[in-house]
């Protein structure tokens, strides 16, 4: 099983980016999916979560600005980021709880995609 994240880049303050993460491989099912971020000098932060049923939860720092969504048919999760601030600069990682076709649950991570918010 692999998770592949994409969509990061350089954006000006107030701008928008959309991150994508695709899960592939021997997947039987996907449960909760998450976006984390890690900024220099900071601890890893859970940014957003979406359950298999579509229930979402957000860190206070991104509420009202970020939206997590998923496409269960494609095993993909997205993070729409609006009104970006310099403090949103970080490497963003997707994470998912996945049951493989071998009937094993595991937590899987994407490789990270860098978001830089700067003028």
């Amino acid at each position: 099983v692999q998770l592949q994240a994409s969509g990061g880049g350089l954006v000006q303050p107030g701008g928008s980016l959309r991150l994508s993460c695709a899960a592939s491989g021997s997947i039987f099912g996907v449960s909760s999916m998450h976006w984390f971020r890690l900024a220099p000098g900071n601890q890893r932060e859970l940014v957003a979560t979406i359950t298999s049923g579509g229930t979402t939860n957000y860190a206070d720092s991104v509420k009202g600005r970020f939206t997590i969504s998923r496409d269960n048919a494609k095993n993909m999760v997205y993070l729409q980021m609006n009104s970006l601030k310099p403090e949103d600069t970080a490497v963003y990682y997707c994470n998912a709880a996945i049951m493989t076709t071998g009937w094993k649950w595991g937590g899987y991570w994407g490789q990270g995609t860098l978001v830089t918010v700067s003028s």
Side-chain angles (χ1 to χ4, degrees):
V1 174
Q2 291 184 331
L3 268 64
Q4 181 71 38
S6 61
L10 173 64
V11 63
Q12 292 186 342
S16 298
L17 279 176
R18 187 190 193 214
L19 306 183
S20 300
C21 177
S24 62
S26 301
I27 296 171
F28 180 80
V30 182
S31 183
S32 56
M33 305 182 84
H34 317 270
W35 286 97
F36 289 81
R37 66 185 179 186
L38 182 61
N42 290 357
Q43 292 184 335
R44 185 177 64 190
E45 178 184 19
L46 174 58
V47 175
T49 293
I50 186 166
T51 68
S52 57
T55 300
T56 58
N57 196 26
Y58 298 91
D60 288 342
S61 58
V62 307
K63 279 181 181 176
R65 300 187 298 120
F66 290 11
T67 302
I68 189 171
S69 60
R70 63 190 286 169
D71 184 331
N72 291 331
K74 297 180 180 179
N75 290 328
M76 292 195 68
V77 63
Y78 307 95
L79 187 68
Q80 177 66 43
M81 303 185 295
N82 299 327
S83 302
L84 282 160
K85 304 175 181 180
E87 52 263 42
D88 294 318
T89 295
V91 179
Y92 284 72
Y93 298 88
C94 55
N95 170 272
I98 294 174
M99 176 176 279
T100 68
T101 53
W103 302 99
K104 292 183 178 180
W105 278 106
Y108 295 87
W109 291 89
Q111 85 284 9
T113 184
L114 176 63
V115 172
T116 303
V117 184
S118 175
S119 54

